[in-house]
């Protein structure tokens, strides 16, 4: 009997030992990041952060809509510490749902109040206006001979000759697509906006999941015209593709942001990352890699990148309102456009 009891105790001890690691304290040298921009850009930032802090970064690249849905689904047991990228309206929406933790980083002191949450829940890392990208070779061969001018405004995209030749990101999954929708609605009002998007839909070949995709499709000549953020288009131009880039009057724009996920497994390291990524060195690296406009005034702009103040944007775009309106606008989009 004593031998049997001893054996049971040994087995119980082994079982405890097998289970224990899942309840162990989080690795103090680890950070988990969900991010929405390009993986090669994020990996350079993570490598620099790891070198400076010794904290290992685990990451997952997602479309904005997928990333937001994942954070929301994990709310009772968060699996990540940082949400990196996407427009501020997405971070604001997560703040409203209680999914983020505030943090007043000293690095954010160098960033204008216009580009960060007043309560410290999110901070802008970069800026970027929406723009039109055109494949110059295809346009010169297929449209210019017919006397069709290069599009300069959003309404120019409604020409019937462009049917099936335009691509843009879908607002439901892409932050780029939603910024375009929300800013247009705010600028022109709902009636005019829905009339525009229904007419534009007739010329749209398809809606992409990722914001970068339209620029890539146009650069390689698969489509003639694309809509997305100017920095993605500048990357194609920088790579040598023959494209024209137009910022239409009153274009919408984003405050690409970063935030800490509430109750994440490594909050102390999350604060270290926020301090790092909002700092001058990280912003300079990010700007050089991405052609995005930094939120810090002490970061130098690469050639071809203009300050936001020199672009004809819709300055009144309200990201707080965009966040509040998101569910209703996407519901209307699903009913009015349906794809």
């Amino acid at each position: 009997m004593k031998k049997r009891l001893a054996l049971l105790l040994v087995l119980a001890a082994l079982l405890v030992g097998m289970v224990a690691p899942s309840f162990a304290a989080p690795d103090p040298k680890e950070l988990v990041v969900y991010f929405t921009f390009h993986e090669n850009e994020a990996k350079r930032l993570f490598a620099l952060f790891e070198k400076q802090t010794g904290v290992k970064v685990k990451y997952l690249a997602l479309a904005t809509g997928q990333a937001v849905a994942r954070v929301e689904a994990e709310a009772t047991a968060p699996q990540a510490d940082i949400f990196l990228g996407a427009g501020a309206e997405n971070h604001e929406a997560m703040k409203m749902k209680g999914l983020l933790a505030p943090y007043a980083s000293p690095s954010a002191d160098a960033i204008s109040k216009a580009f960060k949450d007043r309560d410290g829940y999110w901070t802008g890392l970069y800026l970027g206006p929406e723009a039109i990208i055109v494949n110059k070779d295809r346009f010169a061969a297929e449209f210019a001979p017919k006397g069709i001018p290069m599009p300069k405004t959003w309404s120019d995209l409604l020409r019937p000759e462009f049917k099936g030749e335009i691509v843009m990101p879908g607002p439901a999954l892409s932050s780029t697509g939603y910024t375009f929708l929300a800013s247009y609605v705010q600028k022109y009002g709902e009636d005019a906006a829905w009339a525009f998007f229904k007419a534009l839909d007739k010329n749209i070949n398809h809606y992409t999941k990722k914001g970068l995709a339209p620029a890539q499709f146009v650069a390689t000549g698969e489509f003639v015209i694309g809509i997305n953020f100017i920095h993605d288009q500048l990357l194609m131009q920088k790579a040598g593709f023959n494209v024209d880039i137009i910022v239409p009057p009153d274009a919408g724009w984003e405050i690409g942001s970063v935030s800490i996920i509430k109750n994440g497994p490594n909050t102390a390291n999350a604060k270290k990352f926020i301090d790092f990524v909002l700092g001058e060195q990280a912003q300079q690296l990010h700007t050089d890699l991405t052609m995005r406009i930094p939120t810090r005034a002490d970061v130098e702009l690469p050639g071809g990148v203009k300050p936001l103040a020199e672009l004809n944007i819709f300055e009144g775009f309200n990201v707080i309102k965009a966040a509040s309106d998101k569910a209703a606008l996407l519901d209307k989009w699903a009913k009015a456009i349906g794809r």
Side-chain angles (χ1 to χ4, degrees):
M1 185 63 184
K2 289 182 178 179
K3 288 184 177 179
R4 187 176 179 185
L5 179 60
L7 180 59
L8 289 173
L9 290 172
V10 169
L11 287 172
L14 288 173
L15 286 171
V16 168
M18 291 171 64
V19 171
S22 65
F23 294 101
D27 185 341
K29 290 295 184 182
E30 184 176 294
L31 180 75
V32 183
V33 179
Y34 292 161
F35 69 95
T36 65
F37 51 70
H38 320 314
E39 186 165 346
N40 60 318
E41 300 161 2
K43 288 170 74 172
R44 290 286 300 276
L45 283 173
F46 299 156
L48 182 59
F49 176 69
E50 290 179 352
K51 182 180 180 180
Q52 291 186 357
T53 64
V55 175
K56 178 69 177 177
V57 178
K58 294 183 176 180
Y59 55 84
L60 183 60
L62 296 160
T64 300
Q66 294 170 327
V68 172
R70 194 178 182 105
V71 172
E72 192 165 358
E74 296 172 351
T76 57
Q79 302 298 302
D81 306 291
I82 292 286
F83 191 114
L84 176 63
E89 59 272 22
N90 299 283
H91 295 260
E92 181 67 24
M94 289 190 288
K95 169 192 170 185
M96 292 175 177
K97 293 178 180 178
L99 300 172
L100 302 181
Y103 174 53
S105 169
S107 298
D109 292 345
I111 296 172
S112 166
K113 292 180 180 178
F115 306 138
K116 59 187 178 184
D117 177 47
R118 63 183 179 183
D119 299 318
Y121 283 88
W122 53 263
T123 307
L125 177 63
Y126 56 86
L127 310 167
E130 302 270 3
I132 298 169
I133 181 171
V134 179
N135 185 296
K136 293 174 70 174
D137 294 331
R138 283 199 59 190
F139 197 90
E142 301 171 32
F143 295 94
K146 299 175 184 176
I148 299 171
M150 185 75 73
K152 299 296 182 186
T153 68
W154 296 126
S155 60
D156 287 346
L157 301 180
L158 304 183
R159 296 185 68 105
E161 294 88 350
F162 296 147
K163 183 177 177 61
E165 288 295 351
I166 302 177
V167 282
M168 66 167 276
L173 282 180
S174 165
S175 175
T176 311
Y178 181 68
T179 299
F180 184 36
L181 170 63
S183 60
Y184 202 99
V185 169
Q186 287 187 23
K187 176 62 184 176
Y188 299 102
E190 289 233 11
D191 290 346
W194 289 115
F196 168 78
F197 282 110
K198 287 178 182 177
L200 180 64
D201 182 59
K202 296 175 182 176
N203 287 351
I204 297 289
N205 183 280
H206 68 279
Y207 298 90
T208 65
K209 292 181 180 178
K210 298 283 284 183
L212 172 64
Q216 293 174 315
F217 284 139
V218 172
T220 55
E222 191 167 347
F223 295 97
V224 178
I225 301 170
I227 301 167
N228 61 352
F229 287 125
I230 193 172
H231 39 256
D232 292 330
Q233 302 173 2
L234 288 170
L235 285 175
M236 299 300 110
Q237 202 170 58
K238 183 180 178 182
F241 291 103
N242 191 24
V243 295
D244 202 1
I245 296 171
I246 306 104
V247 179
D250 297 319
W253 53 288
E254 72 164 339
I255 308 172
S257 300
V258 61
S259 55
I260 295 177
I261 297 170
K262 185 179 179 180
N263 297 327
N266 308 286
T267 300
N269 290 338
K271 292 179 179 178
K272 291 179 184 176
F273 184 79
I274 296 291
D275 295 343
F276 159 80
V277 82
L278 297 179
E280 181 181 357
Q281 185 179 7
Q283 280 221 13
Q284 188 67 65
L285 173 62
H286 184 254
T287 297
D288 292 343
L289 289 170
T290 66
M291 306 292 278
R292 293 184 171 111
I293 303 166
T295 52
R296 291 183 65 109
D298 53 1
V299 171
E300 293 184 15
L301 295 178
V305 178
K306 294 181 179 179
L308 200 65
E310 294 183 15
L311 298 171
N312 188 12
I313 60 168
F314 169 36
E315 294 183 5
F317 179 50
N318 184 332
V319 298
I320 309 297
K321 178 171 173 54
S324 299
D325 294 346
K326 188 170 185 178
L329 286 180
L330 292 182
D331 183 60
K332 290 180 181 178
W333 177 275
K335 292 174 180 173
I337 307 300
R339 61 176 179 142

